[in-house]
Amino acid sequence: MESQEFLVADMVRRLGEVVGRKKLQKIVFLLKSVGAPFVERFTYHFYGPYSEQLADEIRWLVGTGHLTEVTQETANRHVECIYRPGEEPIPARLPEFCMPLAHRLNGYDARLLELMATIQYLGMQGMDLAQAGMRARDLKPTQEYTDQETETALNILTGLRHASDGAA
Amino acid sequence: MATQVVRDAVHGLIPLDEPEWLVPLINAREFQRLRRVSQLGTSSVTYPGATHSRFSHSLGVMWLFRRVAQHFQNVGQPLDADELQVGICAALLHDVGHAPFSHALEQALGTGDHEEWTRRIVRSSDTQVHQVLRTIDRAMPQRVEEVIAGTSPLRRVVGLISSQLDVDRMDYLLRDSLYAGVGYGRYDLERVIFSLSGFDPDGMAFLSRKAVPLAEQYVVARYHMYWQVYFHKTTRCAERMLVNCLRLAHRCGVLPKALAALAAKDAPVNALMDVDESDITHALKEWATQSDCPTLRMLAGGVLWRELFKAVCVTEPEGDVDARVFDRLIRQGTIADVVQGKGFDPEFCLIVDKASDLPYGHYYLARDESAADKPPILVESGHDRQIPLERVSPLVRQLGERVVRGVIYVPAECVDAVRRVVSAA
């Protein structure tokens, strides 16, 4: 494993805990999109940008003791995964400017992160943010995102871009 | 009666008369190049019959898309003309950006992934594919590109071309199984198509409730094909040796002109059009016999003459080495020291391979928690509702976790010494 592939483990270590596989995927994508040095490749899938490579790495990091993954039942009787630091030392460190953003993103729920990541991905394909917001809702009819959620996502994304510009 | 047909080993006769732009699209040079790109890369070192091309697979995917569309027409849920046109084009062209030994070349030379190349070929006005698409509709290149990228608003088309029950997978399981000469990938295609009942609000096709055993067979077929064919240890070794061979040749500055052009930053779209498997084979022959670099000679000859490295350490459950031990052996450089001590350059002669697959991305976990990148296979549950296959299939539920296998390969001369180190760890 290249040292950059341990960055996700370092991020979890410094966040303390990330609840949800989707959440972890979307946080890494959004951080990468604003300049964090993650190397994983993301493509668009049904639930937004997703990295098969990252999913593999997380599985490997759990298997090798760099991360732990436990599952718990939610109120609606689904199961969710919780990622916490493992006991193995992590030979990589995420740059400092990423961590305030990572903490912020970790405070949002997976549903909003999915919308934000989708808009960001479409924006990176050449759409302006407003157009990307509309297309994201077209792509996810059953999620039934509201105007308010879309506006919130757009505002957060604009803030993220400014924050990363300032940090850089 | 069709006058233009191809005879396909999997699907029999495939008529090409309609739509009228289909034959010109197939005749585009970018698509014809796929005749010289094998579907399974280095798999023929393990399964000698597995030399079929991405050309035949792409035709098969296009044909299955049409058959599925015809089925939905028959059951009163037709795709509209627009979906049909875009879908046929996208099905045919979904792999047009594959380089020879695609994944090896991507890793070794950083040539970019095949999906991005596919999109570039469709988008670029310099390609014949683009020009034919424009004759259908000025916006067709962009619309096909969006389907391939997964961001198209035509969700039914996206789902039929890229999901856990898509025409790509339906074709490659049968085709790869046939040519590899293994039975693992077989399933009842006719009955699967017949059992498609409709689309959910997200545009995902779903199956009738009676089709659960068929869907199980299909999922298990995929599971076995991945571990028995695609991730076969010998095949993976050959591919990783090829990666190292190309990396070393690149570093030594001896890549043939066409490959060097493809490896260049911002390579133009025709750089890919100039490369097929004959370029790689020719280069391997030259390096294996004429290179001044002994490591390059060994790697090239190894791939060419099937003189492959040996697997010495395999993680559980397939092997008996704990993943933590495996990881420490690599990170602490213990095995690299052994390989170097035997006179080999560990950067190129120690191969650490990790193969990973998610046999079935299920939603037994909450929707937000899925390990999957694709929606579940859906089956009817009455009252116009659909439920994920895993809810009614304990068998499929068992296949919902990602599996990662680590393997270390070294030259035959290092095997005993490395095994001693692994045993002592």
Side-chain angles (χ1 to χ4, degrees):
Chain A
M1 211 168 194
E2 301 293 327
S3 64
Q4 281 165 309
E5 294 167 350
F6 287 96
L7 289 177
V8 65
D10 181 57
M11 185 185 77
V12 172
R13 182 181 63 78
R14 291 159 74 186
L15 290 174
E17 180 179 283
V18 176
V19 179
R21 287 174 172 169
K22 182 194 279 188
K23 194 169 193 175
L24 191 48
Q25 281 268 344
K26 303 311 179 206
I27 291 174
V28 171
F29 169 76
L30 286 164
L31 287 176
K32 187 180 179 193
S33 75
V34 294
F38 289 107
V39 293
E40 294 77 12
R41 180 178 162 263
F42 285 81
T43 52
Y44 191 83
H45 292 271
F46 255 74
Y47 304 109
Y50 176 90
S51 172
E52 187 87 28
Q53 187 186 351
L54 177 62
D56 289 347
E57 284 165 12
I58 291 168
R59 186 80 225 147
W60 185 256
L61 289 166
V62 169
T64 53
H66 294 90
L67 282 179
T68 65
E69 179 190 75
V70 292
T71 54
Q72 70 177 21
E73 197 165 302
T74 63
N76 56 0
R77 302 192 63 197
H78 283 309
V79 176
E80 64 187 6
C81 298
I82 303 173
Y83 294 95
R84 296 195 181 103
E87 73 275 20
E88 290 286 323
I90 297 166
R93 190 166 173 85
L94 201 58
E96 294 308 319
F97 83 89
C98 302
M99 287 316 297
L101 301 178
H103 277 289
R104 212 169 138 195
L105 292 171
N106 199 28
Y108 301 125
D109 63 31
R111 175 181 161 85
L112 184 61
L113 287 169
E114 177 182 339
L115 179 61
M116 287 162 57
T118 302
I119 294 172
Q120 185 78 332
Y121 184 88
L122 294 169
M124 289 159 68
Q125 304 298 305
M127 290 187 191
D128 64 49
L129 274 188
Q131 194 186 5
M134 284 192 290
R135 174 63 71 89
R137 288 170 69 173
D138 286 346
L139 295 175
K140 300 168 185 301
T142 51
Q143 287 281 54
E144 296 179 340
Y145 286 113
T146 62
D147 290 344
Q148 193 181 348
E149 282 178 302
T150 309
E151 199 180 318
T152 303
L154 292 171
N155 287 338
I156 297 169
L157 286 173
T158 307
L160 270 186
R161 289 179 180 188
H162 289 154
S164 66
D165 287 348
Chain B
M1 184 172 159
T3 55
Q4 297 196 76
V5 293
V6 289
R7 189 180 287 276
D8 179 68
V10 176
H11 304 298
L13 296 179
I14 299 179
L16 303 178
D17 283 338
E18 293 178 336
E20 73 285 355
W21 41 260
L22 184 57
V23 169
L25 200 53
I26 290 168
N27 286 342
R29 286 185 182 177
E30 296 82 18
F31 190 76
Q32 288 292 319
R33 185 188 65 94
L34 296 182
R35 290 180 185 277
R36 302 183 299 280
V37 176
S38 69
Q39 169 79 355
L40 293 183
T42 53
S43 283
S44 62
V45 301
T46 313
Y47 298 101
T51 57
H52 54 300
S53 70
R54 291 202 180 270
F55 182 88
S56 61
H57 163 64
S58 299
L59 285 178
V61 174
M62 178 275 295
W63 176 237
L64 283 182
F65 182 86
R66 294 175 70 177
R67 288 201 55 204
V68 168
Q70 182 63 52
H71 167 77
F72 279 117
Q73 168 97 22
N74 295 347
V75 297
Q77 301 194 55
L79 301 182
D80 63 34
D82 194 37
E83 290 174 306
L84 206 52
Q85 278 195 334
V86 175
I88 291 172
C89 294
L92 189 71
L93 299 174
H94 76 286
D95 270 353
V96 78
H98 266 288
F101 303 105
S102 202
H103 304 297
L105 217 61
E106 285 169 17
Q107 278 183 56
L109 307 181
T111 51
D113 68 283
H114 71 271
E115 186 190 297
E116 181 52 34
W117 278 102
T118 297
R119 293 170 59 187
R120 287 182 66 188
I121 289 165
V122 168
R123 189 166 63 226
S124 167
S125 58
D126 293 338
T127 66
Q128 292 186 358
V129 156
H130 178 95
Q131 287 154 16
V132 176
L133 290 175
R134 291 258 305 182
T135 65
I136 306 168
D137 182 312
R138 282 170 59 88
M140 190 58 80
Q142 187 193 338
R143 306 184 70 208
V144 171
E145 187 191 341
E146 285 180 348
V147 169
I148 288 164
T151 56
S152 168
L154 301 177
R155 303 314 290 161
R156 299 198 295 188
V157 176
V158 172
L160 288 176
I161 290 177
S162 180
S163 66
Q164 295 200 79
L165 185 66
D166 63 28
V167 288
D168 181 20
R169 196 172 286 192
M170 285 184 199
D171 183 82
Y172 76 62
L173 288 177
L174 292 177
R175 189 171 302 277
D176 298 345
S177 178
L178 174 72
Y179 281 95
V182 299
Y184 308 115
R186 291 188 199 135
Y187 66 91
D188 191 345
L189 171 69
E190 298 305 315
R191 185 80 193 181
V192 166
I193 294 176
F194 183 78
S195 301
L196 290 168
S197 295
F199 295 95
D200 83 343
D202 276 329
M204 294 302 306
F206 60 83
L207 294 162
S208 70
R209 184 64 175 258
K210 285 183 180 173
V212 169
L214 288 168
E216 288 175 335
Q217 186 188 29
Y218 172 84
V219 172
V220 171
R222 185 193 173 283
Y223 169 73
H224 285 309
M225 282 299 281
Y226 267 77
W227 290 105
Q228 302 305 318
V229 177
Y230 307 136
F231 293 161
H232 192 285
K233 287 201 292 289
T234 309
T235 302
R236 294 284 294 196
C237 180
E239 182 175 302
R240 295 300 306 270
M241 284 179 72
L242 178 60
V243 169
N244 285 359
C245 182
L246 290 165
R247 273 177 54 224
L248 182 54
H250 193 23
R251 184 179 296 179
C252 297
V254 295
L255 283 179
K257 203 171 152 189
L259 284 175
L262 187 61
K265 196 169 179 292
D266 301 325
V269 73
N270 23 0
L272 181 65
M273 293 308 100
D274 291 339
V275 176
D276 58 42
E277 277 179 16
S278 64
D279 298 289
I280 309 263
T281 308
H282 182 78
L284 287 174
K285 284 160 74 175
E286 203 166 292
W287 296 330
T289 55
Q290 295 168 36
S291 174
D292 296 332
C293 170
T295 305
L296 185 56
R297 278 203 309 275
M298 178 182 67
L299 288 167
V303 177
L304 200 58
W305 300 310
R306 204 183 180 280
E307 294 164 358
L308 303 173
F309 291 174
K310 306 295 177 198
V312 282
C313 178
V314 183
T315 55
E316 295 168 338
E318 187 174 330
D320 51 9
V321 178
D322 182 89
R324 292 168 195 239
V325 173
F326 184 98
D327 185 61
R328 280 185 208 132
L329 282 168
I330 298 306
R331 281 193 297 115
Q332 291 166 359
T334 323
I335 296 181
D337 291 344
V338 174
V339 171
Q340 191 153 29
K342 292 280 179 185
F344 295 96
D345 179 351
E347 186 182 351
F348 295 100
C349 299
L350 165 60
I351 291 175
V352 180
D353 180 57
K354 289 202 277 288
S356 166
D357 183 43
L358 177 64
Y360 176 76
H362 73 45
Y363 279 66
Y364 178 65
L365 299 172
R367 178 186 167 109
D368 284 355
E369 293 308 299
S370 172
D373 57 334
K374 293 181 164 74
I377 294 175
L378 298 170
V379 293
E380 285 174 322
S381 74
H383 307 294
D384 287 334
R385 292 183 60 143
Q386 301 84 40
I387 53 172
L389 174 62
E390 64 274 13
R391 291 275 168 85
V392 288
S393 169
L395 171 63
V396 167
R397 210 150 51 225
Q398 293 301 314
L399 295 174
E401 273 304 323
R402 193 169 287 277
V403 181
V404 187
R405 179 194 69 195
V407 183
I408 295 172
Y409 301 93
V410 294
E413 294 85 339
C414 307
V415 168
D416 291 340
V418 172
R419 284 207 173 124
R420 279 195 293 276
V421 169
V422 173
S423 302

